Amino acid sequence: MRDGAMTGQTNLAVSPAVAPLQIGRMRVETPVVLAPMAGITNAAFRRLCRENGGGLYVAEMVTSRALVERNPEALRIVTFDEDESPRSAQVYGVDPATVGAAVKLIVDEDRADHVDLNFGCPVPKVTRKGGGAALPWKRELFTRIVDAAVTAAATRDVPVTIKMRKGIDADHETYLEAGLIAQDLGVAAVALHGRTAAQYYSGHADWSAIAELKRTVTKIPVLGNGDIWSAEDALEMMAQTGCDGVVIGRGCQGRPWLFADLQAAMEGSDRRVRPTLGEVADTVYRHGELMAQFFGDEDKGCRDLRKHIAWYFKGYPVGGESRHALALVSTLQELRERLNALDLDQPYPGDAAEGQRGRQGSEKRPHLPHGWLDSRELTAEHREKLAEAELSVSGG
Ligand SMILES: Cc1cc2nc3c(=O)[nH]c(=O)nc-3n(C[C@H](O)[C@H](O)[C@H](O)COP(=O)(O)O)c2cc1C
């Protein structure tokens, strides 16, 4: 982790406990993956996480269509820091030819070392058109998309992985079949978020589904995702499911030092980062600096930092007024001043800083195109709807 020890660390002897991840020709020493999160996992946040611990840090999702059209923002998403390795991109698409062309662009222009395909988005405006987590239900379409990506990536030996949910709802699960199809097509690893689209972000992810996938897909690594809030949760998931690595989403929002904890845990150490408020403030400032560099604009960087503020101070004794002021900064100077005004000696608040953070939501009936569940094959009408699915996607 960055700048030496934070409060609460002990340095116990390290004995390698968990095997590295081998994803195609890509080796990841610490079997921990930063989940792609639209609007969060930009190059600044990934650097901050990397400064804490090892792993695979996936960029924000980009749509295949935007890439093929060479949309500047899409191209920026698949532009990595010079020292970022491996460079990991996530692509979302609904049309095999466009996904193939997008992956070809990435590998031909040497923009990434790894491509992940997103089949997990539960957002109604996406599933309503048959995209996201609704897509694997159309078996042949799913197969053709994955095949197109793997074929395009194979020209440069770039591994392709897929990330998915369990399915549409409890009666329409697709993950075991999708995992087997992916394995047969030459996908290098599969990641499962243990919820259906209907479950959105409600309740607790079903880790038993991850175990079931691990028992079913036996030739490539299986990665588990959902509700890992601490290094102990990660170890618990690996023990319960036998998965080969963990994928961390909301748990690292406002907590990039979780990657230091995860690395320690994977190495068999019980060293954990328990930052004082002053140490959190230093991390927030570092995040602000990286955001300003990333956007090439202090104001934009500070604005984007705002959504992270409440997560950083979860459980710390920081009053409403201070939080509000911090969430309104527009320069690094202001950020420094407002952070310095806090009572920085406060110790780690324990349980109050732990547990769930970020997006939640209740279970809801998934929005799907009319008649979507009637058949596993794509009708002409559904094909048309799908073409629109990529225009309205924003992660999830
Ligand atoms: C704000 C936000 C944006 C997300 N964007 C994406 C995305 O672009 N691609 C993707 O595959 N998953 C996306 N996800 C889902 C996460 O990658 C992850 O699967 C999910 O949050 C469950 O993991 P967690 O319990 O560790 O958060 C997003 C999640 C959140 C909270």
Side-chain angles (χ1 to χ4, degrees):
M1 58 158 299
R2 189 170 58 92
D3 296 336
M6 280 191 187
T7 306
Q9 290 190 58
T10 55
N11 285 304
L12 300 180
V14 168
S15 59
V18 179
L21 260 181
Q22 192 70 43
I23 300 179
R25 69 178 161 111
M26 179 172 71
R27 185 179 162 95
V28 182
E29 290 302 325
T30 308
V32 170
V33 180
L34 165 67
M37 287 187 282
I40 309 282
T41 58
N42 62 22
F45 187 68
R46 295 199 306 278
R47 175 173 286 277
L48 191 66
C49 293
R50 289 200 325 268
E51 285 175 351
N52 280 273
L56 178 65
Y57 295 94
V58 189
E60 294 177 273
M61 182 199 69
V62 62
T63 71
S64 59
R65 191 152 155 175
L67 263 184
V68 169
E69 289 170 357
R70 301 197 76 84
N71 171 299
E73 178 54 24
L75 290 175
R76 194 165 81 121
I77 289 176
V78 287
T79 305
F80 294 82
D81 285 353
E82 254 171 43
D83 62 349
E84 188 164 354
S85 176
R87 299 161 302 165
S88 175
Q90 190 190 50
V91 172
Y92 169 75
V94 295
D95 170 60
T98 316
V99 170
V103 174
K104 181 172 183 330
L105 180 155
I106 291 175
V107 302
D108 282 356
E109 297 178 12
D110 188 24
R111 287 177 173 272
D113 306 303
H114 161 231
V115 176
D116 183 49
L117 298 176
N118 176 2
F119 292 103
C121 183
V123 176
K125 67 180 179 188
V126 173
T127 57
R128 192 184 292 136
K129 290 172 185 145
L135 198 146
W137 180 251
K138 300 297 173 188
R139 193 170 23 214
E140 194 206 333
L141 177 65
F142 171 79
T143 304
R144 287 174 53 221
I145 290 173
V146 175
D147 192 34
V150 171
T151 304
T155 58
R156 308 276 162 137
D157 205 12
V158 168
V160 171
T161 57
I162 66 165
K163 179 163 174 288
M164 58 186 171
R165 286 194 175 224
K166 284 171 66 182
I168 292 175
D169 58 27
D171 297 326
H172 303 90
E173 290 184 347
T174 47
Y175 70 104
L176 295 176
E177 176 192 81
L180 285 172
I181 292 173
Q183 174 175 261
D184 282 351
L185 290 171
V187 159
V190 293
L192 178 66
H193 176 190
R195 287 187 174 85
T196 60
Q199 288 172 309
Y200 210 63
Y201 286 88
S202 67
H204 193 281
D206 172 12
W207 290 3
S208 72
I210 297 166
E212 189 64 34
L213 184 65
K214 175 67 188 160
R215 284 192 290 272
T216 306
V217 172
T218 53
K219 297 183 197 138
I220 52 176
V222 169
L223 309 175
N225 174 227
D227 295 304
I228 293 175
W229 309 106
S230 67
E232 285 61 39
D233 289 343
L235 294 177
E236 181 65 31
M237 179 194 273
M238 293 186 86
Q240 271 185 33
T241 69
C243 68
D244 302 285
V246 292
V247 183
I248 311 293
R250 295 162 296 166
C252 67
Q253 290 176 333
R255 232 174 177 235
W257 53 85
L258 178 57
F259 290 100
D261 288 357
L262 288 161
Q263 179 167 345
M266 297 294 171
E267 288 169 350
S269 157
D270 65 359
R271 181 166 48 90
R272 299 290 181 267
V273 179
R274 296 291 175 258
T276 63
L277 185 53
E279 288 162 335
V280 174
D282 288 346
T283 303
V284 172
Y285 188 76
R286 173 76 181 140
H287 196 168
E289 276 180 338
L290 290 169
M291 288 287 225
Q293 277 167 28
F294 171 72
F295 286 104
D297 178 329
E298 222 173 290
D299 182 57
K300 252 193 179 167
C302 287
R303 275 174 199 280
D304 208 63
L305 181 69
R306 291 174 180 184
K307 63 182 163 221
H308 297 264
I309 294 291
W311 295 324
Y312 273 114
F313 295 114
K314 177 178 173 346
Y316 286 87
V318 175
E321 244 173 63
S322 305
R323 284 169 190 262
H324 187 66
L326 279 162
L328 290 178
V329 292
S330 46
T331 65
L332 290 174
Q333 169 80 21
E334 257 173 24
L335 179 61
R336 186 79 270 174
E337 283 166 15
R338 292 178 196 184
L339 289 170
N340 283 346
L342 303 176
D343 183 3
L344 296 174
D345 288 336
Q346 296 292 330
Y348 186 71
D351 285 352
E354 308 274 335
Q356 182 147 3
R357 48 186 60 228
R359 194 178 276 181
Q360 295 179 20
S362 49
E363 177 139 6
K364 38 191 145 216
R365 207 159 62 88
H367 296 248
L368 299 168
H370 186 68
W372 187 255
L373 295 174
D374 297 348
S375 155
R376 301 292 309 268
E377 308 309 322
L378 200 62
T379 62
E381 186 197 338
H382 289 151
R383 197 179 302 279
E384 245 173 67
K385 271 232 171 291
L386 254 176
E388 300 162 27
E390 207 171 320
L391 299 176
S392 51
V393 73
S394 57

